[in-house]
Amino acid sequence: MAPLSAKVALLGLLAAPHVAAASDYWSERCTTINQRKSWAALTDDEKSEYIRAEKCLMESDPINDNDSSYINNEYGKIQNIWDQFHYTHIVEGNYIHYTGQFLPWHRYYVRVHEMLLQTQCNYTGAHPYWDETGDTESYQGHMGDSPIWDATTGFGGNGTGTDRGSDCVATGPFANISLHMSSHNKTDYCLTRAWSQSDLNGANSSNVQECFDYANYTDAWSCYNGHPHAAGHGGTGGLMLDPVDSPGDPMFFLHHAWLDMEYWKWQLADYPARLTDMGGNNVMAEESLEIAGLSQVGDDVLDYDGDPGNTTTLNHNLYMRGNMAPNVTVGDVMELNGTVICAEYIY
Ligand SMILES: [Cu+2]
């Protein structure tokens, strides 16, 4: 067994190239800043290009797939890149929700999605977002009329039945897709939706304004995690209601891009001070566990996450499982228009 000093030295040697590799990885993939627009602002050609690329992820062999215990895992068998995204969110589910890293982790997740669309499927655009506040105003009482749900130039319609949560989507580009990853469903299953106008109304402008008005991150993140975050999940319904399986619906990514835009607007309101404002608990509070139906993680999370205690810091690690992309830290993703996230929102 090597003496401790030798092990520490070895770790030091390994750590430095790893950090350099992550920053090189992202700078190579950030040649132009991605101009992220609302779905409704895209041309029909831009919409169909996005949907083409999303379906391409569902048909592309997994990347870095030589680990058989990763491919054949307890949540199903990873068969494509889409499954890799799904798997990552399920495995990280108990860490990334109701905690301070909630907004940074999902910001990074959306960016990795945008990047793999571009690098694996030659997608030529930026990541779109779902303007949920706009939809609560423009389509109040008839949310299904929003162009985002269009059967030919959008994400398809509602589930087919009346049983909330078990209604397969039968129209649009994602009709009858087969999902492979689930935290509680061991066979392949369909994409379900069950719209709720009242839930979507949680994204109304007064609820978003309430979050925007908080002066520090610790208050703001839990507010955004409340009504605005719940709006897209509950408004879409079906699979989107599941706290960890929800990324099986392609709408998940447009919902989280929108939430990320609102977080970025909040950061801009006191810029650059809010590039370093971080906080929030590292493990879920007891009442959050009950609400979400999630499990508490062990004490190991305190080491695992890179923080000195049970408070989220800029050193907190953001994990992408299965080497889909390098792991980064919260500090790496605080600037939207930086090397890692490489984006601007047009609103
Ligand atoms: Cu999530």
Side-chain angles (χ1 to χ4, degrees):
M1 194 172 178
L4 185 62
S5 58
K7 282 200 215 169
V8 169
L10 181 64
L11 286 171
L13 283 171
L14 291 173
H18 171 77
V19 170
S23 75
D24 286 354
Y25 180 95
W26 283 110
S27 57
E28 283 166 14
R29 286 159 178 77
C30 182
T31 49
T32 50
I33 300 296
N34 291 287
Q35 308 277 318
R36 297 179 177 174
K37 298 178 201 158
S38 163
W39 183 260
L42 301 182
T43 66
D44 283 356
D45 283 350
E46 288 171 328
K47 289 174 180 171
S48 66
E49 165 64 359
Y50 181 81
I51 287 175
R52 176 201 64 76
E54 193 76 294
K55 293 184 80 157
C56 163
L57 287 184
M58 296 177 179
E59 289 158 7
S60 298
D61 288 343
I63 46 177
N64 300 320
D65 59 348
N66 46 11
D67 176 351
S68 62
S69 66
Y70 164 64
I71 294 295
N72 288 293
N73 62 76
E74 63 185 300
Y75 305 114
K77 181 177 181 211
I78 291 175
Q79 296 170 38
N80 53 54
I81 298 174
W82 186 254
D83 293 345
Q84 293 187 283
F85 277 103
H86 212 175
Y87 172 80
T88 293
H89 191 266
I90 293 169
V91 171
E92 289 294 309
N94 293 320
Y95 302 87
I96 55 175
H97 297 117
Y98 298 89
T99 58
Q101 67 161 318
F102 169 67
L103 292 172
W105 191 90
H106 288 82
R107 167 174 286 176
Y108 190 49
Y109 190 57
V110 167
R111 170 58 181 145
V112 175
H113 181 243
E114 177 180 63
M115 180 275 291
L116 290 181
L117 286 167
Q118 293 167 341
T119 59
Q120 302 294 313
C121 288
N122 302 311
Y123 174 54
T124 54
H127 206 296
Y129 65 88
W130 176 15
D131 179 9
E132 296 174 35
T133 305
D135 275 15
T136 66
E137 289 157 5
S138 302
Y139 306 102
Q140 182 55 244
H142 51 109
M143 60 174 276
D145 289 344
S146 165
I148 208 159
W149 300 115
D150 193 278
T152 49
T153 57
F155 289 79
N158 203 357
T160 49
T162 52
D163 178 17
R164 184 166 166 85
S166 62
D167 307 324
C168 295
V169 170
T171 56
F174 305 107
N176 307 312
I177 59 169
S178 188
L179 296 166
H180 310 127
M181 293 290 122
S182 173
S183 59
H184 47 71
N185 184 346
K186 296 305 170 207
T187 54
D188 290 356
Y189 59 104
C190 71
L191 168 61
T192 57
R193 288 182 190 140
W195 291 340
S196 165
Q197 179 74 58
S198 60
D199 281 7
L200 185 61
N201 289 346
N204 67 33
S205 54
S206 65
N207 284 341
V208 173
Q209 184 68 38
E210 181 190 338
C211 302
F212 182 83
D213 289 341
Y214 280 112
N216 61 66
Y217 181 77
T218 305
D219 294 324
W221 83 264
S222 58
C223 181
Y224 285 113
N225 181 50
H227 287 300
H229 176 230
H233 285 280
T236 306
L239 185 61
M240 277 283 276
L241 283 170
D242 191 292
V244 299
D245 292 353
S246 44
D249 190 332
M251 189 58 77
F252 178 97
F253 291 92
L254 278 81
H255 166 54
H256 268 281
W258 170 76
L259 196 68
D260 185 51
M261 176 179 73
E262 295 303 329
Y263 171 37
W264 178 241
K265 288 179 187 171
W266 180 86
Q267 288 184 280
L268 286 179
D270 187 3
Y271 185 94
R274 288 179 183 174
L275 293 180
T276 52
D277 187 1
M278 188 40 52
N281 48 298
N282 266 343
V283 297
M284 284 183 276
E286 285 303 319
E287 60 267 29
S288 308
L289 290 170
E290 280 175 35
I291 294 167
L294 294 170
S295 320
Q296 190 59 278
V297 294
D299 291 341
D300 61 324
V301 75
L302 301 181
D303 289 337
Y304 166 98
D305 280 338
D307 296 316
N310 185 22
T311 300
T312 309
T313 71
L314 297 175
N315 293 323
H316 192 105
N317 293 314
L318 305 176
Y319 286 86
M320 284 296 129
R321 297 295 178 131
N323 299 314
M324 299 169 70
N327 300 326
V328 298
T329 64
V330 167
D332 291 332
V333 305
M334 292 295 282
E335 171 64 87
L336 189 81
N337 185 347
T339 304
V340 177
I341 306 301
C342 194
E344 289 172 3
Y345 286 105
I346 310 298
Y347 48 86

